[in-house]
Amino acid sequence: MIRLFTNTLQTSRLLPAALAITTLLGTQTTSAQVKLPRLVRDSMILQRDTKVSLWGWASPKEKVTVRFNNKRYTTTTAADGKWRLWLAPTPAGGPYMMEIAGSNKIELKDILVGDVYLCAGQSNMVHQMNLHSVRYANDIATANNPQIRQFWIPYVNDMNATRADLAGGNWKWANPEDVRNFSAVAYFFARDINERYKVPIGIINASIGGTPIESWISEEALQTFPNFVSTIQRNRDTAYINTLQRNASAANKPGPVKDKGLTGLQHWYDPAYQPKAWRDIAIPGYWEDQGIKDLNGTIWYRREIDIPASMTGKEARVFLGRIHDADVLYINGKQVGNTTYLYPQRRYNVPAGLLKAGKNTFAIRVSNFNGKGGFVSDKPYYVFAGNDTVSLTGYWQYKVGEVFEPVTNPVPPPVAAQNQPMANYNGMIAPILNYTLKGFCWYQGETNAGRPDEYARLQPALIADWRSRWNQGELPFLFVQLPGYMDVNYRPEESSWATFREAQRKSLSIPNTGMAVAIDLGEWNDVHPDNKKSVGDRLALAARAIVYGEKGFEYSGPIYESASVEGNKIVISFTHTGGGLIALDNEPLSNFAIAGADKKFVWATARIENGKVVVSSDQVTQPKYVRYAWSDNPDNPNLGNQERLPASPFRTDQ
């Protein structure tokens, strides 16, 4: 008896990762049961124009027959019940059906053949279209392309050994409902490729926010990194890990509520509550910058907001920018939204009927655990319904609800499996190694940004590891160089993020790799910049050249090649100059710094001459080194090419 959990394209819904495998595939009731991996199910996309791997499990020495595209394939399972066979190369097209038969039959429907990419990394690859629904509202509303499909791999980590299969997941196609859960970067990449080559594009998304690169690399590939080897061995000590987890759980056990805004006779969000001895404070802004010194705790913000009658009786939305660290929003005494950590933009739905004409009580409870607490500037703060908008910026009243006591004897934090070496590889990459691919798209690095020298070895290790595991030759590997982030420094500086971008760029020496420069796409106050489309577009440009072999166009911004000292000037040469070097804003070139042997950098004058950049400064008569856009978040780096692609930051003093 063969049992397989399948879903049609129209009715499938993403299954929770916590569902047991037996729930997905049925309880094994006979020794003859044939099983297939989770990726092999209705509405999948298979790789075109090459042999395609198909695999599964059955009883030892059982005969398995597959019929696909008018061809018949047979194999016999090994002693451990595993089987694998290869489908003949098939051109792009579909939909097809597939029949797999052991002691009975499984039918898979609506299979397309096109190009399949593994899109992996951390949060900026995770970020779904839904999280950027304001910017991409039209893209979501008009999505209607069954040829673009995503398989979102559920979060599963294993600190001990590789998994044989995934814990769930479904293929979904790009329609206004399901595209909301597509990775935004991966979707725009796939859309560009599909529109250009008219072939189905499959996205296998394996990404988890905040995860370091070493968590995505196999144990074998980490053997040259002794610190990770020792961590892997430590994590296999079950007693040690269990003790850490128990201690952390006990230390974090919630105690009694101490917040005065929640423990008095009247809660501070109650419209009937009469504030006494409250002070003024501005939104946006951090409270440490407004007269509150080094407070970790909770602060309540409260204000009467005038709402016009035209906004009542209908659903509304509140945008509260970003908040450090956690918040709860109440309107007229009702909780309408909350977020438990600092990164997401706060976008809360207000049910119809809650807002009333005239004064409405808005109360926000903000909790901060370290660093500055409060509201991030340069973000949207307003409530809107229909065509009407009311600003929430300006002065509010505030009162401290609770001051968190300093931790004098900190307990070691729990071990987060998803951040451990090899853990995500074991749980999310190893189970899909047999799935034939076209290439990889990688957007990761923020978590490793403080370790650039190590990353210069880790990213090549990841590339070599994955290529070896898939055994499809030098599969194309496309990656995103980190954008600008954090405060702008208007003086030349040392920069961990700039050094990290350099470490990323070094991987371009590996054949069949491409890098999307994103230095101009960041936001100083958000590690998750909103412009995901340009990132996907630039990855697609790289794919056109590296994956598809297109000629006669430029796919990258200028990349530093060499430098030569000529008297009191340094002349910089670049690759990927395209139609010629330009200043992207038609202003003088900016963000070039120059130094002599002492490496004391000063801002320099830079100009384009004969396809190169000439850099000099009256303050440095014997120059030796140049840096460009060398900071965490450079102010308006404007060197690019005629194709409007920005130059990658660089330095010559290595």
Side-chain angles (χ1 to χ4, degrees), residues 307-452:
I307 298 296
S310 58
M311 290 179 61
T312 62
K314 62 184 72 171
E315 291 184 352
R317 297 193 76 190
V318 172
F319 282 12
L320 285 179
R322 284 182 54 235
I323 299 174
H324 282 234
D325 289 305
D327 64 282
V328 184
L329 169 65
Y330 303 89
I331 298 177
N332 294 329
K334 303 294 185 182
Q335 180 178 325
V336 298
N338 76 287
T339 304
T340 58
Y341 63 112
L342 72 161
Y343 290 119
Q345 292 202 38
R346 275 54 169 180
R347 294 172 177 171
Y348 298 139
N349 296 321
V350 182
L354 183 56
L355 294 178
K356 59 185 180 181
K359 294 188 180 299
N360 293 256
T361 302
F362 279 57
I364 310 167
R365 179 180 183 259
V366 178
S367 302
N368 186 60
F369 307 102
N370 58 72
K372 291 185 175 183
F375 296 77
V376 176
S377 60
D378 292 343
K379 293 292 181 182
Y381 294 91
Y382 51 82
V383 55
F384 64 98
N387 296 321
D388 298 294
T389 301
V390 174
S391 174
L392 299 177
T393 62
Y395 281 97
W396 292 53
Q397 289 189 304
Y398 84 89
K399 195 175 183 67
V400 175
E402 181 180 358
V403 177
F404 298 154
E405 294 297 328
V407 178
T408 55
N409 296 303
V411 174
V415 174
Q418 66 185 33
N419 297 330
Q420 301 306 303
M422 80 171 182
N424 296 324
Y425 171 87
N426 285 345
M428 299 171 66
I429 301 299
I432 66 172
L433 291 176
N434 288 335
Y435 206 90
T436 308
L437 300 178
K438 187 71 170 180
F440 306 104
C441 291
W442 177 250
Y443 192 169
Q444 190 277 339
E446 297 88 346
T447 295
N448 292 89
R451 298 180 276 145

Side-chain angles (χ1 to χ4, degrees), residues 21 111 115 127 154 249 319 340 368 390 449 464 485 515 585 594 618:
I21 292 175
I111 298 170
D115 290 338
H127 260 225
S249 178
F319 282 12
T340 58
N368 186 60
V390 174
Y485 176 54
M515 181 178 75
D585 57 1
I594 197 168
D618 293 340

